[in-house]
Amino acid sequence: MFYRMPKDTSPEWAPTYFLAALGAGGLAVTFFMWLMFWLPHPDAPVPLFEDAVAALGGGSLMPKVAVIGAWVGIAFFSALHIYLLVWNLRQYGRFRKTQAYQQLRDSNSETQLLAGPLTVAMSINVGFILGLTFVPALWSVVEWLFPLALLAFVLVGAWALALLRDFWGRVLVGGGFDCVKNNNLGQLLPAFASAMIAVGLAAPAAMSQSTVTVAFSLVLSSFFMVTAFLIGAIQVVLGFRAMLEQGSDPSTAPTLWIVLPILTTLTITLLRQTHGFHVHFESGAGGVDVLAMLTYFLCAQLVFGLLGWVVLARYGYFARFVTGNEKSAGAYALVCPGVGLAVMIHFFTNAGLVGFGVLERFSVAYWCLTGIALILQFLTIWLVYRLNRLHFGA
């Protein structure tokens, strides 16, 4: 998957190539789920390096396999994420000097630029996962790291808001938004970026022991979460209206699945916030409401997943842009839904069904549900391999 990347693709490069790096980072997260839900971590709400070492020293085989597999997966896909991120940032710098960039800024596709802050926000999350997984004694200084993480996400959020300011200021004052060409859900990319920033900002709410840090985390993450909900609601309506009139665009059909990772990030944001309110402000939040929320969001993902499958199958999208020889940067939008749905199934199974006594951990029914997440995870790994070979292998 680590191909020698072209040094200058500024005429052909598109911001959606950031999704290649985003998908690799998401796959690192899927391997972290193995540690999160399969290892005991009594000293922290998340698994630490010490927990993994303790599992390796134990007598059971399953935790050892989980730790080794997770370590390999996290290390490999984190490295791939950073490799592709650096390449994309360099291409983005060159792209800004071209006429194609100016044309992009005057079109519906201007919102594709939000793929930049979206991927950088994922990079911060990946960095935190690398620290938890491979750095000993990290938890002893984590309260010092949370404010730095909040600052980093706020800076990325400011970048995203500046891009949204330019877009919304242009179309709401001067018009020019082409509703005919809006026959996809690509305009949900800003909502995805806002949701990714929100889930990162919400992390201290679930992990910090400082009430002040938790309060900042709750307020800041709520702002970007609400932004994601509002933009998402508007653009889903506009996108479906255009698709019902014009039919969907074959090259951008994968955007129908962008709702899946958005819902996953928003669900985790709400779970983290619920924990923060409950622990620090005695709100009484949680209980059956958490299980209900996980169920509703998972069902919504399945609805959009089935709808997207119908459209993609009728266009023969996979035969053309995945297993075929046609290239479209938008095909990388297929990676995030696989990651998002796999992660959601892990949370639904463990934080939902196991957490509220519906399932017994590591039972047959447990592994049947978890097996679906694992199948999605490895299918997504194959998809990343195939797309990277198609786009960069030459």
Side-chain angles (χ1 to χ4, degrees):
M1 296 186 191
F2 285 85
Y3 292 101
R4 185 175 181 179
M5 309 298 286
K7 292 184 179 180
D8 186 5
T9 61
S10 52
E12 297 83 17
W13 183 86
T16 44
Y17 272 116
F18 271 112
L19 300 181
L22 179 71
L27 284 172
V29 174
T30 62
F31 281 99
F32 186 72
M33 294 295 99
W34 296 15
L35 303 177
M36 181 74 179
F37 295 120
W38 298 350
L39 294 187
H41 41 92
D43 299 325
V46 287
L48 307 176
F49 172 78
E50 290 78 7
D51 298 316
V53 171
L56 288 176
S60 179
L61 177 62
M62 186 269 179
K64 295 180 181 179
V65 173
V67 169
I68 295 173
W71 277 1
V72 171
I74 291 171
F76 180 85
F77 285 104
S78 295
L80 181 61
H81 166 76
I82 295 169
Y83 179 70
L84 292 173
L85 174 66
V86 171
W87 177 78
N88 274 289
L89 289 173
R90 288 175 176 172
Q91 298 307 311
Y92 178 55
R94 295 186 176 100
F95 180 70
R96 285 170 58 91
K97 301 174 184 178
T98 66
Q99 185 64 33
Y101 173 75
Q102 298 302 324
Q103 294 172 353
L104 183 81
R105 295 301 297 259
D106 295 329
S107 68
N108 290 12
S109 299
E110 184 178 8
T111 53
Q112 290 182 6
L113 296 174
L114 270 295
L118 166 63
T119 307
V120 173
M122 172 61 83
S123 298
I124 301 173
N125 289 319
V126 168
F128 194 66
I129 286 175
L130 286 171
L132 292 173
T133 306
F134 297 112
V135 179
L138 181 71
W139 204 248
S140 63
V141 297
V142 75
E143 291 295 343
W144 295 96
L145 298 177
F146 284 140
L148 296 176
L150 289 175
L151 176 60
F153 279 111
V154 166
L155 292 175
V156 176
W159 178 17
L161 291 174
L163 293 172
L164 284 174
R165 174 202 62 200
D166 294 342
F167 174 74
W168 286 107
R170 175 175 64 83
V171 299
L172 292 180
V173 174
F177 186 79
D178 193 339
C179 291
V180 174
K181 294 182 179 179
N182 190 42
N183 54 340
N184 57 71
L185 294 185
Q187 293 298 324
L188 285 178
L189 203 56
F192 193 6
S194 298
M196 185 65 70
I197 295 166
V199 75
L201 286 169
M207 300 182 224
S208 177
Q209 299 300 313
S210 168
T211 303
V212 174
T213 301
V214 170
F216 273 99
S217 172
L218 289 170
V219 172
L220 292 170
S221 62
S222 294
F223 173 81
F224 284 97
M225 180 179 65
V226 171
T227 300
F229 272 118
L230 291 176
I231 293 175
I234 293 170
Q235 295 299 348
V236 164
V237 172
L238 292 177
F240 269 96
R241 182 180 183 275
M243 284 188 286
L244 290 172
E245 290 182 347
Q246 310 294 328
S248 60
D249 183 349
S251 65
T252 57
T255 59
L256 286 167
W257 278 352
I258 198 174
V259 176
L260 277 68
I262 292 174
L263 290 176
T264 296
T265 50
L266 291 176
T267 300
I268 298 173
T269 301
L270 288 168
L271 286 173
R272 289 174 169 178
Q273 289 188 342
T274 297
H275 182 83
F277 278 120
H278 176 63
V279 172
H280 292 272
F281 301 102
E282 299 181 355
S283 66
V288 71
D289 292 340
V290 171
L291 180 57
M293 179 184 67
L294 286 164
T295 303
Y296 298 151
F297 278 97
L298 177 59
C299 289
Q301 286 182 313
L302 295 177
V303 170
F304 274 95
L306 292 171
L307 180 61
W309 180 266
V310 169
V311 175
L312 290 166
R314 291 209 172 192
Y315 278 131
Y317 188 90
F318 297 98
R320 292 175 57 188
F321 298 103
V322 178
T323 58
N325 295 320
E326 294 186 62
K327 294 182 181 180
S328 172
Y332 278 100
L334 295 170
V335 177
C336 297
V339 169
L341 189 54
V343 171
M344 178 66 95
I345 292 173
H346 278 298
F347 272 92
F348 175 73
T349 303
N350 293 275
L353 299 180
V354 173
F356 294 101
V358 180
L359 281 183
E360 181 182 351
R361 191 183 302 275
F362 305 142
S363 64
V364 174
Y366 176 91
W367 284 116
C368 287
L369 279 175
T370 301
I372 298 173
L374 295 177
I375 291 171
L376 285 169
Q377 179 181 358
F378 286 104
L379 284 175
T380 307
I381 291 172
W382 172 85
L383 177 63
V384 169
Y385 163 77
R386 172 59 191 166
L387 291 177
N388 285 358
R389 181 181 179 184
L390 177 64
H391 287 260
F392 309 123

